[in-house]
Amino acid sequence: MSAKLLRPVAIAGTGKYLPEKVLTNADLQRMVETTDEWIVERTGIKERRIAAPDEATSDLAIKAGRDALENAGIKAEDLDLIIVATVTPDMAFPATACFVQKALGAPKATCLDVSAACSGFLYGLELARQSIASGSAEKALVIGADKLSAIIDWTDRNTCILFGDGAGAAVLTPAGEGTGEILSAYSGSNGNLDEILHVPGGGSRHPLTAENIGSKANTMKMSGREVYRHAVQTMISAAKEAIARAGLTSDDIECFIPHQANLRIIETIADKLDLPMERFFVNLESYGNTSAAAVAIALDEAQRSGRIKRGDHILMVVFGGGLTWASSVVRW
Ligand code: COA
C-alpha cells in the first residue's frame, strides 16, 4: 500500500501502559518444562507483564491513550478518530475503540479496531495518517493493545514463554512548524501462511462449544521455526522499502525500532542490514512480545528516555500473524 499525501502528518505524542503483575522466567519454570537459561538464550526475554483477571484490553488501551494525549497536549474531545489495533478485543463487538471513546470522552471520534496481529499498530498508524492527510480528520489516536495472556495455552512451552500484555499509543496531527513528520509507510500481507500463527477457534469458523472447549482451539498455535524465518526475511525487506520510500539510506536512520519478538531475530536483522546493535531499540527483556503494543511501547520509551531526539530519523518495522508486516520512517 502506498499513496501520495495531500498534507504531511506528525506524531504529536506517545504513551504506554503495562500491567503491574510481573511474570518472570523463574515463575514459568514452575509452570512448564523450561529454564530461565533456555528462554534468555533463545529469545532474550527475562520477564513479561500479565493483566489482572478483571483487566480487559480496553483497560490497557485507555491508560496508554490517556498517557499519549497528555504527552501531546491534546484533549480527548478534539479527537476525530480512534483506532485500536488488537487481536484480543474485549468482545466480538462493540469495537474496543468504542470502549476507549467512552472512557476518554471523545464524542466526535469515529472508532474502529484493526486486526493485523503484531503488525496492527503500524497498520493503524498509516490509516490514521491517510485520514489526516486527506483532510477527513484533524486529530487521531492510534493504540496498539493486546491481552495475549487471555489466548495463550499456559501448558504449551513453545508459546507461553514468548508473550506478555500491554498497550502503547500515539496521537497524530497535521505536521507544522517544529513538529516531526511521518515520511513513509509500507505494508503487506500473505494470507497463504495463515496457519503458521493463528488462533483457530472462538470465531465463526469454529465457535466455542461445550464439546470443543477442551481442545483449547481458542488459544494460539504457532510453528515457531517457520515464523522465525519469515519474520527475519520480511522485516529486512520491509525496513529497506520504508527507508527507500523516504528517500533515505539506512545510514540516515538514528534509531531502528523493530517488533519486539525475539532478540535473535533483531540481531539477525542488524547483521543482514550491516548495522550495529546500538542503533536498535530493544526492551523485550522486560515485556516479551506484547503483539500490537510492542512497537508502540518501544517508541514511547525511546522518545521519553531521550534515545530519540527532535530531527532524528526513526524506522519502525513489524511482523505478525496473517501473515502481516509493515514499516514506517518518521522524522521525529
Ligand atoms: N523451554 C525449553 N525447551 C523448549 C522450549 C522452552 N520454552 N520451547 C521449545 N523447546 C524445545 C523444543 O521442544 C525443541 O526440542 P526438540 O529439539 O527436542 O524438539 C528445542 O527446544 C528447539 O526448538 P526450536 O523450535 O528449534 O527452538 P528455536 O531455537 O527455534 O526457538 C522459538 C523457538 C519459538 C523461541 C523461536 O522459533 C522463535 O522465536 N520463533 C518466532 C516466534 C515469534 O516471534 N512469534 C511471534 C511473531 S509476531
Side-chain angles (χ1 to χ4, degrees):
M1 215 165 64
S2 92
K4 284 261 174 284
L5 293 185
L6 297 175
R7 60 174 171 172
V9 177
I11 296 179
T14 64
K16 69 165 182 184
Y17 173 72
L18 278 314
E20 269 171 45
K21 186 184 166 188
V22 175
L23 184 73
T24 64
N25 290 350
D27 296 328
L28 283 166
Q29 246 170 255
R30 289 186 283 274
M31 295 162 61
V32 289
E33 205 182 323
T34 192
T35 59
D36 172 51
E37 199 188 0
W38 192 95
I39 300 173
V40 172
E41 192 186 299
R42 302 295 180 109
T43 72
I45 300 164
K46 294 180 179 155
E47 54 187 47
R48 66 289 288 147
R49 302 296 182 89
I50 303 294
D54 64 352
E55 227 174 358
T57 295
S58 70
D59 298 316
L60 315 181
I62 289 160
K63 288 180 175 156
R66 217 171 253 140
D67 195 29
L69 287 168
E70 208 177 293
N71 186 242
I74 281 170
K75 292 196 187 77
E77 63 243 41
D78 293 331
L79 290 172
D80 306 300
L81 177 65
I82 299 175
I83 297 177
V84 175
T86 188
V87 286
T88 50
D90 287 23
M91 50 189 78
F93 72 89
T96 307
C98 289
F99 297 120
V100 173
Q101 173 189 38
K102 179 163 87 168
L104 295 181
K108 279 201 310 176
T110 297
C111 302
L112 68 141
D113 288 1
V114 165
S115 174
C118 300
S119 306
F121 179 70
L122 288 193
Y123 271 48
L125 204 71
E126 179 57 1
L127 292 174
R129 181 173 78 129
Q130 295 295 344
S131 296
I132 294 174
S134 70
S136 78
E138 284 295 316
K139 296 181 172 70
L141 174 62
V142 182
I143 305 173
D146 267 310
K147 182 182 174 179
L148 282 191
S149 63
I151 55 162
I152 292 294
D153 175 358
W154 289 101
T155 64
D156 176 14
R157 70 175 183 177
N158 291 296
T159 51
C160 75
I161 57 139
L162 295 172
F163 300 99
D165 301 333
V171 174
L172 270 61
T173 60
E177 254 180 60
T179 74
E181 183 184 337
I182 300 173
L183 296 178
S184 73
Y186 164 71
S187 59
S189 316
N190 181 357
N192 294 321
L193 294 172
D194 56 324
E195 288 186 1
I196 68 172
L197 183 57
H198 67 162
V199 177
S204 62
R205 174 71 61 199
H206 303 293
L208 278 193
T209 60
E211 288 73 38
N212 71 18
I213 194 109
S215 68
K216 296 184 182 168
N218 59 324
T219 62
M220 189 191 303
K221 315 293 172 204
M222 181 183 76
S223 310
R225 279 183 216 180
E226 263 194 90
V227 171
Y228 189 104
R229 193 163 53 81
H230 286 288
V232 169
Q233 285 170 1
T234 310
M235 283 201 280
I236 290 171
S237 54
K240 287 182 176 166
E241 186 62 34
I243 293 169
R245 288 182 185 199
L248 301 171
T249 71
S250 56
D251 285 342
D252 299 316
I253 308 294
E254 278 85 7
C255 184
F256 287 76
I257 304 182
H259 180 44
Q260 306 286 315
N262 183 320
L263 184 60
R264 286 192 297 141
I265 292 178
I266 298 175
E267 284 171 347
T268 309
I269 293 171
D271 186 52
K272 300 260 194 249
L273 291 176
D274 203 18
L275 293 167
M277 271 303 283
E278 296 75 62
R279 302 262 289 279
F280 285 73
F281 187 87
V282 178
N283 64 6
L284 59 80
E285 66 281 0
S286 308
Y287 308 134
N289 178 349
T290 55
S291 185
V295 84
I297 294 170
L299 176 67
D300 182 60
E301 293 194 343
Q303 75 113 343
R304 286 181 198 246
S305 66
R307 173 68 180 76
I308 53 179
K309 297 177 195 64
R310 184 62 63 217
D312 280 359
H313 292 104
I314 63 170
L315 172 105
M316 294 181 278
V317 58
V318 292
F319 170 88
L323 299 180
T324 55
W325 56 88
S327 52
S328 181
V329 171
V330 179
R331 194 183 65 245
W332 199 251

